[in-house]
Structure formats: C-alpha cells, structure tokens
Amino acid sequence: MKILVINAGSSSLKYQLIDMANESVLAKGLVERIGIEGSNLVHKYGKEKYEVVKPLQNHVEAIELVLEALTDKQHGVISSMDEISAVGHRVVHGGEKFAGSVIITDEVMEALRENSNLAPLHNPANIMGIEACKKVMPNTPMVGVFDTAFHQTMPPKAFLYGLPLDYYKRLKIRKYGFHGTSHRYVSQRAIEMLGKPAEQTKIVTCHLGNGSSITAVDGGKSVDTTMGLTPLDGVLMGTRSGSIDPAIIEFIMKSEGKTIDEVMKVLNKESGLIGLSEKSSDMRDVRMTANQGDEKCETTLEVWAYGIRKYIGAFAAAMGGLDAIVFTAGIGENDWEARARVVKGLEFLGVKLDAEANKNVKDEGIVSTADSKVKIMVISTNEELAIARDTLALTSK
Ligand code: ADP
C-alpha cells in the first residue's frame, strides 16, 4: 500500500509518498508560490532531485504537477496514480469535533469549514488541498489528521480559560493545543522505550522547532499543553512571543498608535528569538552568536530555556510525577546545548543529564544517566509517518 501525505498551506504544498510495506519514503517534495509568479516544484527521490518551474494558478494545478512528478517516466517512483491507495491530509484545527483521524466525507468537509474561523490562517488552505486532491483523484479515499486531536483528552480544568463561560459556550474559546500528531508519535515511542504499560507513564514531550509546544502526557493521553486557542500561546518560539500579559496588547496599541492587526503581527512574526536577540529567528544563528560572546543572544537563550524548564516543572506537578522528558523537532533533536540548558536545575526532580550521551545522540536515544529517576529522551518526530499510519488504519478497514 502506498500512501500520499499532503500538508497544504495557502501558497505551498508539501508531500510524501510512503510505502507502508516497510514505511519507507519513496519520494517527497514541496510546491511553492502557488497562485504567485514563479511557482515551482522540488521533488526528491532517493538521492535524486528534480525541479520544475511552471505557472500554477491554484492547488488543483499543484496536485496535478505532484502526480506528474510521482509518475514521471524518468523521475517518478510509481507507474500510475492508481498505485496510490489513499491520501492523508494534515489539518491544523479539528476543533472539539475531532478527537482522532477520520475518513473525509461531505459532513467532515462541512465541519472543517465550520472550524475555519478558529484557524483562519491554516484551515482554509488545508481545505483547498483536500478539495484539489478530491478533484484530481476522485476515487481515492482521503483521511484527515488533525493537529488538535491528540489534545482532546484534556480535562476542562486544563482547557478552560478564566473568561466569561459564555465565550466558551458561544464562540468555543478554549485551549485546543497543536503539534498533536508529533506529541502523540513521540510519546508513544517514549512509552515503548520506558517499557512500562502506558497507563503507568507520565511524560513531558517538548516539541521545539520554529513553532514550539510542550505537552503533559499522562497514561498515554494529553492532559495539558502549552499552545492554546491558537499556536501563539505557550513558550517563546522563533518569531512568536508565546504567553504574555494580555494587557500588553492594549498598551502597545495605545503607546505606538498601532492597530490590532499590527500588534498581532508583532506577536506572531517579530517576537520570540528574533525579537529578543535582534539577530535571527533561527536557533543556529542565535546559538552561534551567543557562543561568540553576544550578550543579547545569550539572554535570549536563557529566556527561551527558562520558559521551557518552568513548564516541565508545572506539568510534573500537574501529573503528580514524571518518568520522562522527551525532546523532539528541529531544536529538540539537534541542539545538545539547548537540551542541556533546559534541564539545568531540574536535578531536584530526579533529572540527571548524561553530558556525553547528550552530545553524541543521533536520531534517538536516552541521554540521562543510568541512575536518573527521570529519563531524558531524544526522539525524532515523524508527523508524515504518523499521518500515513492513521490513513492506512482507517482505509484498510
Ligand atoms: P518547523 O517548526 O518549521 O517544522 P523545525 O522543527 O524544522 O521547524 O525546527 C527549526 C528550528 O530547528 C530552527 O530554529 C533551527 O535553527 C533549529 N535547528 C535545526 N537544526 C539544528 C541544529 N543542528 N542545531 C541547532 N538548531 C537546529
């Protein structure tokens, strides 16, 4: 069975074709600048790369181009579209309706449209991706996998904000959480590595990339997470502020004469690592500059790590215990200094880092000492594989 995984953005489309017989990636790629001048596709298979520059008006033309690349005589990896048994779509916001992945039906499409107001930047693009695929591959089953679904097990004490309840009842304002596919994937792997029944495990998963979130996974279920109604909440990120005093928004608007849209742009695009370091939103640049003695970058790293450390402590308290801390995503998987900085000072919780193991780990491993009560793990996330597995499970029934 070959499964195509699609992650559609407003002007881009990422894809992977996965052979589920051995869960290997046959090809993957990225279409950019859909509907904008200079549209292009970069298609990778094995060690080869194939690029096409071609005007693409919309997502339908983008999907057609992806299928052409996948079935191309010279650069393709399948002989016809019929070899694709199902398509799995990443959908950002499932609202309260979706606590798991689903086969996409007309009712599901309707519910996705209803949820669009909760994620106006993401869901409309995801919907366009699905509609385009349905048009080009009308007979291929499609599955939706939601970033929010894993967190639907959060109890009301974790997901309700201290606002008038009416906003929850009418507008569905509550904490939803994101990166759920990643938190689910790495926490399941961590449970295997702990070698205990899932019900007996308490894990904090730290997805640290451009966007970052931390989740408390108790008994295999998400019980709290740092992102909220939107992905702006929680820890400091590449360009996002994370949690701030909400009154700051009014304060900036009044002092700087900015509109709400301008302030939201500051919080989403000009804050976090780039805002504090005045250097870069990329952890590698901030790290390198800090290592060269730049004080602003050093302080930025401290603020970044301190915020994450506080959440690890908070979630250990929320769960009443802690068996493992998991690091994943771009920074979590690759930056040993960042991991060391985050767990520094957590020894009182029984967290002891093995400095050598932490420096040398590749892809996956335990980087705490043998006598550390809490295991520190590095686990590579693989959201595409998680989507493909759900798609296979639902469509082979
Ligand atoms: P996204 O959220 O866009 O999927 P990623 O998970 O790819 O992001 O993470 C991107 C972040 O990971 C960037 O801040 C980048 O600097 C950081 N990163 C990637 N590789 C390394 C590395 N070797 N050392 C430190 N940081 C890294």
Side-chain angles (χ1 to χ4, degrees), residues 14 179 207-212 238 240 273 280-287 328-338 381 383:
K14 283 193 220 157
H179 291 143
H207 178 109
L208 308 175
N210 267 322
S212 298
R240 287 178 226 151
L273 293 181
S280 171
S281 64
D282 192 297
M283 183 54 105
R284 281 166 292 204
D285 300 333
V286 179
R287 153 103 34 245
T328 193
I331 303 171
E333 290 166 29
N334 296 302
D335 190 338
W336 65 266
E337 289 177 287
T381 193
E383 288 162 278

Side-chain angles (χ1 to χ4, degrees), residues 89-100 108-124 126-127 130 144-149 151-152 161 171-181 227-231:
H89 292 270
R90 176 191 180 212
V91 182
V92 170
H93 218 306
E96 287 190 318
K97 194 134 196 165
F98 301 108
V108 169
M109 289 306 284
E110 197 46 48
L112 291 185
R113 283 187 203 101
E114 277 170 29
N115 281 338
S116 273
N117 68 321
L118 290 171
L121 296 179
H122 294 106
N123 272 31
N126 300 153
I127 292 169
I130 297 170
V145 180
F146 305 92
D147 273 22
T148 48
H151 301 299
Q152 277 297 305
Y161 292 119
L171 303 177
K172 293 281 169 240
I173 294 179
R174 50 158 285 178
K175 176 185 283 200
Y176 289 96
F178 298 88
H179 291 143
T181 310
M227 284 179 167
L229 172 74
T230 75

Side-chain angles (χ1 to χ4, degrees), residues 236 276-277 286 290 294-305 341:
L236 191 141
L276 269 184
S277 70
V286 179
D294 184 276
E295 261 181 49
K296 268 188 298 194
C297 286
E298 175 60 27
T299 305
T300 304
L301 293 178
E302 276 301 285
V303 176
W304 179 85
R341 206 183 275 258

Side-chain angles (χ1 to χ4, degrees), residues 81-250:
M81 204 171 86
D82 301 336
E83 285 187 47
I84 300 171
S85 37
V87 183
H89 292 270
R90 176 191 180 212
V91 182
V92 170
H93 218 306
E96 287 190 318
K97 194 134 196 165
F98 301 108
S101 304
V102 289
I103 301 231
I104 295 172
T105 60
D106 291 344
E107 288 97 76
V108 169
M109 289 306 284
E110 197 46 48
L112 291 185
R113 283 187 203 101
E114 277 170 29
N115 281 338
S116 273
N117 68 321
L118 290 171
L121 296 179
H122 294 106
N123 272 31
N126 300 153
I127 292 169
M128 268 194 292
I130 297 170
E131 282 173 341
C133 278
K134 282 167 89 108
K135 201 159 194 173
V136 183
M137 297 184 268
N139 301 318
T140 311
M142 313 261 162
V143 167
V145 180
F146 305 92
D147 273 22
T148 48
F150 182 57
H151 301 299
Q152 277 297 305
T153 45
M154 284 190 294
K157 69 179 175 191
F159 74 66
L160 281 176
Y161 292 119
L163 291 169
L165 190 63
D166 189 45
Y167 288 122
Y168 170 58
K169 289 196 286 203
R170 273 189 310 115
L171 303 177
K172 293 281 169 240
I173 294 179
R174 50 158 285 178
K175 176 185 283 200
Y176 289 96
F178 298 88
H179 291 143
T181 310
S182 174
H183 289 292
R184 171 164 62 109
Y185 181 86
V186 298
S187 60
Q188 284 172 352
R189 180 69 194 122
I191 290 167
E192 283 170 24
M193 287 162 73
L194 282 170
K196 285 208 266 183
E199 306 75 55
Q200 292 168 23
T201 58
K202 295 180 190 297
I203 300 169
V204 171
T205 49
C206 306
H207 178 109
L208 308 175
N210 267 322
S212 298
S213 65
I214 322 284
T215 296
V217 185
D218 194 350
K221 296 194 168 95
S222 169
V223 293
D224 205 345
T225 190
T226 55
M227 284 179 167
L229 172 74
T230 75
L232 182 55
D233 202 4
V235 294
L236 191 141
M237 308 175 215
T239 62
R240 287 178 226 151
S241 61
S243 312
I244 56 164
D245 176 350
I248 292 171
I249 295 173
E250 183 197 22

Side-chain angles (χ1 to χ4, degrees), residues 3 5 13 24 51 67 69 73 75 82 136 148 159 180 183 185 189 191 209 248 279 317 319 351 361 375:
I3 305 243
V5 177
L13 193 147
S24 64
E51 292 186 53
L67 291 172
K73 284 243 154 32
H75 306 285
D82 301 336
V136 183
T148 48
F159 74 66
H183 289 292
Y185 181 86
R189 180 69 194 122
I191 290 167
I248 292 171
K279 176 81 192 169
M319 294 188 288
V351 178
V361 66
K375 301 265 175 288

Side-chain angles (χ1 to χ4, degrees), residues 340-371:
R341 206 183 275 258
V342 166
V343 298
K344 202 169 136 214
L346 290 179
E347 292 79 9
F348 79 100
L349 270 181
V351 178
K352 273 206 223 167
L353 186 73
D354 179 333
E356 277 309 302
N358 184 44
K359 269 185 204 167
N360 297 325
V361 66
K362 288 254 161 353
D363 298 331
E364 181 175 294
I366 293 178
V367 300
S368 44
T369 58
D371 66 339

